[in-house]
Amino acid sequence: EADIYQTPRYLVIGTGKKITLECSQTMGHDKMYWYQQDPGMELHLIHYSYGVNSTEKGDLSSESTVSRIRTEHFPLTLESARPSHTSQYLCASSERTDTEAFFGQGTRLTVV
Amino acid sequence: EDQVTQSPEALRLQEGESSSLNCSYTVSGLRGLFWYRQDPGKGPEFLFTLYSAGEEKEKERLKATLTKKESFLHITAPKPEDSATYLCAVPGLEGNTPLVFGKGTRLSVIA
């Protein structure tokens, strides 16, 4: 069973608020990822990290930022939430880029 | 050009009606192919990894196979609880890049 956790599971927040979505894994994986997914749609990679102090932008442009200060922790921050940020955000980790990735349960974000 | 293409986009089966989902890929020198199951509102759940043409993996009613061009997820005598979106993924074209996911096949199994 994968040990990767996301909090909160659901978040409803007003426009302009700053939010941080938390993601932690206990598997010691160096590789971590953030994906964005709208209902019934495909996964879009928005950020990834290959280790501490390493962060890269993904294929989908995102106004969010990430940090990787500790191996187990990969938070995603939105400085000023907008309704267009409403989506599901999924965090994942893997041992290498050519091994299976394990996903958290996701955070469903609604910006009103 | 998409590296991973899944078909069909959606599939509706009667309970017990076996079928197959397809995942074709364009990368050469495949370094693995991964199948996931995703239930609505949840994160994808890892199912199988395949590395070599001819390789097969099984789990309950699911069997994944791999050729040099594509992978199949065979579902034998499906039950309503098998209803989900099934995703496949391959490592990116450039070395050391994240997995590239297909758009998935939405499977509905009707009792």
Side-chain angles (χ1 to χ4, degrees):
Chain A
E1 187 173 329
D3 295 317
I4 180 163
Y5 308 99
Q6 291 187 242
T7 56
R9 282 281 284 127
Y10 303 94
L11 180 62
V12 181
I13 200 161
T15 298
K17 299 291 186 183
K18 178 180 178 179
I19 59 169
T20 296
L21 308 184
E22 301 289 348
C23 176
S24 295
Q25 50 96 5
T26 59
M27 296 172 281
H29 288 165
D30 283 331
K31 322 298 185 194
M32 294 191 75
Y33 316 91
W34 276 104
Y35 291 85
Q36 186 175 342
Q37 186 181 37
D38 292 325
M41 304 299 285
E42 62 192 291
L43 290 165
H44 291 287
L45 180 69
I46 52 175
H47 296 284
Y48 59 99
S49 167
Y50 286 169
V52 171
N53 294 325
S54 151
T55 60
E56 301 285 346
K57 289 188 181 295
D59 306 320
L60 182 68
S61 175
S62 174
E63 294 168 349
S64 59
T65 59
V66 292
S67 62
R68 190 87 182 277
I69 299 172
R70 303 198 318 264
T71 298
E72 63 271 23
H73 195 213
F74 191 39
L76 180 145
T77 298
L78 277 166
E79 290 292 334
S80 180
R82 295 208 297 268
S84 60
H85 296 140
T86 294
S87 190
Q88 169 145 298
Y89 293 83
L90 291 158
C91 180
S93 73
S94 66
E95 184 178 352
R96 303 192 310 265
T97 54
D98 60 352
T99 58
E100 59 271 19
F102 296 99
F103 284 80
Q105 287 299 298
T107 294
R108 165 69 63 192
L109 173 66
T110 302
V111 184
V112 297
Chain B
E1 181 184 358
D2 287 346
Q3 295 173 237
V4 183
T5 303
Q6 292 189 246
S7 62
E9 287 187 15
L11 182 62
R12 186 181 173 99
L13 299 173
Q14 292 294 319
E15 184 172 4
E17 180 186 1
S18 301
S19 188
S20 297
L21 314 183
N22 178 265
C23 172
S24 62
Y25 56 91
T26 56
V27 294
S28 59
L30 185 69
R31 296 175 290 119
L33 186 140
F34 307 89
W35 281 100
Y36 290 81
R37 168 190 172 129
Q38 186 175 25
D39 292 305
K42 295 189 176 181
E45 174 191 354
F46 170 68
L47 292 173
F48 304 112
T49 304
L50 302 166
Y51 282 110
S52 305
E55 189 175 359
E56 298 183 353
K57 294 275 181 71
E58 284 190 67
K59 180 180 180 179
E60 296 181 357
R61 294 176 292 282
L62 301 176
K63 182 169 78 172
T65 62
L66 182 66
T67 72
K68 289 184 178 180
K69 295 285 187 184
E70 58 194 347
S71 177
F72 292 94
L73 185 65
H74 307 278
I75 304 177
T76 302
K79 298 181 177 182
E81 52 262 43
D82 294 323
S83 298
T85 295
Y86 291 86
L87 302 166
C88 71
V90 297
L93 271 174
E94 298 176 14
N96 206 33
T97 51
L99 293 181
V100 177
F101 282 84
K103 295 180 179 180
T105 293
R106 289 190 311 279
L107 175 66
S108 299
V109 182
I110 311 302

